[in-house]
Amino acid sequence: MRGFSAITWVTGLMLGLTACSGADVADPEATAGSTQAVPRPTFSELFATALEEMAALETVRVAGWVDVDGRRIDSEMQLSKSGDCHGQVQQEDIGGFELIGVDGDY
């Protein structure tokens, strides 16, 4: 169950960073050249949907990046329900860290 907690934490982190970006989301169904934006779901809606969809997964890989004050932060994590975890977070031009866990021990 520790693995699921880690998956939940990383998912929440990535969704939180995405939700805080403030950028409009273009409607993929809109015609080419359209600037129509779709309503942004709340963090709670995103998190609930992610948890529901992830219930059937044994492993999950989460990757993405955010821009914080003009500096890019990249993140990539792979987690399993059994508690295994491997990933890294790196900030452009500064450095980063690697996270490794086995059976929920980090």
Side-chain angles (χ1 to χ4, degrees), residues 33-86:
S34 172
T35 58
Q36 179 182 1
V38 295
R40 292 183 65 88
T42 66
F43 175 79
S44 296
E45 291 169 336
L46 286 172
F47 193 72
T49 300
L51 286 179
E52 182 180 309
E53 295 296 325
M54 289 180 1
L57 300 177
E58 292 296 319
T59 62
V60 64
R61 178 180 172 264
V62 180
W65 64 272
V66 294
D67 184 282
V68 177
D69 296 329
R71 292 200 171 149
R72 181 176 167 138
I73 299 175
D74 292 287
S75 175
E76 180 176 1
M77 302 278 178
Q78 183 165 343
L79 304 109
S80 72
K81 280 187 179 179
S82 66
D84 297 337
C85 170
H86 181 258

Side-chain angles (χ1 to χ4, degrees), residues 1-11 47 79-81 83 106:
M1 203 61 178
R2 288 183 193 169
F4 188 72
S5 296
I7 291 171
T8 302
W9 182 85
V10 170
T11 301
F47 193 72
L79 304 109
S80 72
K81 280 187 179 179
Y106 301 97

